[in-house]
Amino acid sequence: MDTYATLRIGDKELQLPLINGTEGEKAIDISKLRAETGYITMDVGYGNTGSCQSAITYMDGEEGTLRYRGIPVEQLAEQSTFKETSYLLINGRLPTRDELTRFSVMLNDNSLVHTDLKVFFQNFPRESHPMGILSSMVNALRSFYPSLARNTEEINIIMTRLLAKVRTMATMSYKISRGHELVFPRPDLTYCENFLNMMFDSPVKPYEIKKEVVDALRVFWILHADHEQNCSTSTVRMVGSARVNLYAAISAGIAALWGPLHGGANQAVIEMLKEIAEGKGDYKKAIERAKDKNDPFRLMGFGHRVYKTYDPRARIMKKMCDELLESLQMSDPLLDIARELEEVALNDQYFIDHNLYPNVDFYSGIVLRAIGIPTSMFTVMFALGRLPGWIAQWKESQDDPQWKLSRPRQIYTGHKKYDYVPIHAR
Ligand code: CMC
C-alpha cells in the first residue's frame, strides 16, 4: 500500500504522507507544503480539506451512512434515548446503568438557571430571533458560572451544565416572549418530557405529555446530535482553537447554525411550503425557480455538501413524520405539498444530475409543527439536538495532541503597494 503521494512543482519533488481512517477514508498530509515549496492549497468552502482527525462521527455521503462512535444512527433512533446518545458522543462509549443514573442526576441538579438571566431575556426587543437570543445567552452563561475548566471534573460540570441549562433557557425564552409564567424543570420527568412540559404546561391548561410526541422529539434530537465537521461544528472547533471557554465556542456554533443554508433550513422549508400553499399549491413553479440559474432561489431542505444520496436522517424523519401525524390523528396540508414536491424533484433531470435529495430538514419542520413548536423556534430545536455533538467535538479538539490554533491562509488579490495620499491632496 502507498504511504505517500508525490507532488512535482517545476523541478522540485515533494513526498506527502498519506493518512488512512478506520473506514478507509484517505487524506494527503500537506502540513509541510508551504514551508517546503512556498505554495498553499486553495479549497474554497473546504470541500476537500480535512481539518482534524476525529473518532466521534462517521458519515459516508455516497452510501448514506451515519454512525455515532461506530453505532448506526438508525439503531440509536430506534432504541436509545437522547440522554444516552449524548453520553455516548461526549464520552466515547455507551454508559453503564450507574453511569447513566449519575449523568441524569447531574443533569437534574444543573437544570435550573440563575433568576437574573430572566432580566436579560425580558430586555431583548420583541422581534428578536430566538437563535440570536440563544447565542447571546449561552455566551452570557460564562459570567454567571465563571468557574474555569481546570480538570476533568470541572469540564464535566460545565458540559452537563450546558446540556441542562440551554434546554431550560430555550423554554424560558419562549414563555417570556408570550408573556406566560415560567415552568420549572421537574426531576421526575425525562430530558425530553421536561422540555415539552416546560414549553407547554401552564396553570390554566396543564400539558398532557403524550408518548408519541416524546418519542418524536427523542428521535428528532438523536438525528441532530452530531454530523462531523459541518459549518457550526467547525466553527465551535475553530473558535475553541483559540482556547476560549466552552460557552463562547458553543455560542459561536449557534450563530453559524442560524444560517438558512445550515440549521436555519428547517424554518426556511416551512416558509417555502407555506408560500407554495398560498400560491394554490403550485410546487412546479418552485422546482422551475430552483433550476433557474438567474434566480437565487433554492429548494430548501434539498441537497447536502456530503450526502450525494438520500440523507439517512431524512429517511427516518419522513417515516416518523407519517407515524406521528397518524397517531395524533392530525393532517397537515404542508405535508402533502412536501410529498408532491419530493416526488417531482426526485424525477427531475436537474435534481438527478446534481444528486439533490431531501436532507434532514425537509420533513423535520412538519414534525416540529405537529409537536406544537412555533416556526421561529425550529432552529433552536436543532441547536438543542446538536449540543452534545458540539461539546464532544470541542472536548476532542482540546485534548488533541496535534492541537493548533486554526488559521487558514489566503491568496491576496488586492492592490499592489501604493503610497498614502493625505486628504487635502486627493
Ligand atoms: N436547490 C437547487 N439547486 C441546488 C440546491 C438546491 N437546494 N442545492 C444545490 N444546488 C445546485 C447548485 O445550484 C449548484 O448547481 P451548479 O453546479 O449547476 O451551479 C450545485 O447544486 C452545487 O451546489 P453547491 O452550492 O456548490 O453545493 P454545496 O455542497 O455547497 O451545497 C447546500 C450544499 C446544503 C448549501 C445546498 O445544497 C443548499 O443550499 N441546500 C438548500 C439549503 C438546505 O437545505 N440546507 C440544509 C442542509 S442539511 C442540514 C445541515 O446539516 O446543515
Side-chain angles (χ1 to χ4, degrees):
M1 200 163 69
D2 291 337
T3 52
Y4 61 85
T6 307
L7 176 75
R8 197 171 298 115
I9 305 176
D11 54 7
K12 193 171 170 70
E13 209 170 77
L14 185 66
Q15 296 200 330
L16 302 165
L18 298 181
I19 301 173
N20 292 299
T22 42
E23 288 287 350
E25 294 192 304
K26 300 186 273 286
I28 302 172
D29 178 352
I30 55 146
S31 50
K32 297 212 165 55
L33 182 65
R34 188 171 178 279
E36 301 210 0
T37 66
Y39 281 81
I40 61 166
T41 54
M42 181 57 79
D43 184 21
V44 177
Y46 309 130
N48 301 283
T49 298
S51 59
C52 59
Q53 295 191 40
S54 176
I56 301 172
T57 289
Y58 172 68
M59 61 189 284
D60 180 331
E62 278 70 39
E63 295 292 323
T65 304
L66 177 62
R67 295 181 204 139
Y68 300 156
R69 300 286 189 183
I71 303 179
V73 75
E74 292 81 0
Q75 291 180 15
L76 293 166
E78 184 80 32
Q79 300 174 59
S80 182
T81 62
F82 179 62
K83 203 185 302 177
E84 186 184 51
T85 298
S86 301
Y87 187 102
L88 167 74
L89 281 166
I90 295 171
N91 296 290
R93 58 170 177 78
L94 290 167
T96 62
R97 199 177 287 276
D98 282 354
E99 285 166 339
L100 192 59
T101 306
R102 244 193 330 273
F103 189 45
S104 299
V105 171
M106 274 176 82
L107 286 170
N108 278 332
D109 286 353
N110 281 284
S111 59
L112 284 171
V113 298
H114 199 295
T115 46
D116 285 357
L117 274 166
K118 201 172 151 186
V119 181
F120 280 70
F121 279 117
Q122 282 165 332
N123 284 296
F124 275 98
R126 280 273 149 156
E127 299 305 308
S128 305
H129 193 283
M131 283 297 273
I133 300 179
L134 191 69
S135 174
S136 314
M137 297 306 292
V138 168
N139 217 340
L141 275 181
R142 170 72 168 82
S143 311
F144 286 88
Y145 305 96
S147 68
L148 297 168
R150 280 169 304 212
N151 51 47
T152 314
E153 185 58 25
E154 284 183 359
I155 292 175
N156 281 342
I157 291 174
I158 293 176
M159 292 189 302
T160 318
R161 184 184 287 147
L162 263 167
L163 280 172
K165 291 197 193 312
V166 174
R167 178 194 59 175
T168 307
M169 281 159 52
T171 61
M172 263 176 96
S173 69
Y174 173 67
K175 286 287 193 193
I176 291 173
S177 73
R178 310 201 114 204
H180 290 176
E181 286 286 311
L182 296 183
V183 177
F184 293 101
R186 279 174 33 194
D188 58 314
L189 298 180
T190 66
Y191 191 90
C192 293
E193 287 170 350
N194 242 323
F195 174 82
L196 292 166
N197 195 57
M198 285 192 276
M199 275 292 281
F200 302 121
D201 191 45
S202 91
V204 281
K205 194 165 182 269
Y207 179 68
E208 185 197 343
I209 299 174
K210 291 192 179 139
K211 190 191 164 299
E212 52 271 53
V213 173
V214 176
D215 213 40
L217 179 60
R218 174 189 72 79
V219 174
F220 175 91
W221 275 343
I222 289 177
L223 294 181
H224 285 83
D226 195 49
H227 216 217
E228 52 119 302
Q229 307 312 316
N230 56 82
C231 177
S232 55
T233 302
S234 308
T235 302
V236 169
R237 278 191 180 253
M238 182 176 245
V239 172
S241 82
R243 290 286 191 242
V244 297
N245 62 81
L246 177 58
Y247 304 108
I250 300 284
S251 161
I254 295 171
L257 188 75
W258 189 357
L261 295 190
H262 190 12
N266 55 13
Q267 179 175 343
V269 169
I270 291 298
E271 283 158 2
M272 176 185 79
L273 295 176
K274 276 187 186 159
E275 240 175 71
I276 295 173
E278 281 156 16
K280 302 198 176 30
D282 189 359
Y283 49 85
K284 289 192 178 128
K285 200 164 136 207
I287 300 276
E288 290 315 310
R289 283 190 67 195
K291 288 160 39 176
D292 181 357
K293 287 290 154 223
N294 298 314
D295 190 332
F297 176 82
R298 283 185 169 198
L299 203 60
M300 300 314 283
F302 259 74
H304 197 274
R305 172 63 62 79
V306 180
Y307 293 123
K308 298 305 163 202
T309 181
Y310 214 101
D311 179 340
R313 303 168 302 169
R315 203 182 297 285
I316 302 171
M317 195 70 81
K318 183 179 179 187
K319 184 165 167 274
M320 202 242 299
C321 183
D322 289 338
E323 287 167 3
L324 179 66
L325 265 67
E326 197 190 319
S327 64
L328 293 179
Q329 296 181 332
M330 280 172 83
S331 67
D332 187 338
L334 298 192
L335 178 59
D336 300 331
I337 295 177
R339 282 199 195 112
E340 287 173 39
L341 199 56
E342 178 186 344
E343 191 170 332
V344 174
L346 291 183
N347 290 300
D348 187 289
Q349 205 52 46
Y350 172 92
F351 286 83
I352 296 169
D353 291 345
H354 285 77
N355 293 320
L356 296 170
Y357 295 87
N359 59 51
V360 69
D361 288 321
F362 196 64
Y363 287 102
S364 67
I366 297 170
V367 170
L368 293 176
R369 263 161 73 92
I371 295 177
I373 308 290
T375 314
S376 64
M377 276 201 61
F378 282 6
T379 316
V380 169
M381 298 301 290
F382 191 151
L384 292 174
R386 187 54 55 86
L387 253 185
W390 286 332
I391 292 172
Q393 301 269 353
W394 176 86
K395 186 168 174 253
E396 185 181 66
S397 69
Q398 302 290 302
D399 295 342
D400 188 348
Q402 293 181 326
W403 169 84
K404 264 191 167 191
L405 175 73
S406 290
R407 199 338 186 153
R409 299 194 76 111
Q410 63 164 19
I411 295 295
Y412 174 70
T413 57
H415 284 288
K416 289 252 188 207
K417 177 178 176 266
Y418 72 110
D419 290 327
Y420 173 74
V421 181
I423 195 153
H424 62 81
R426 275 179 233 160

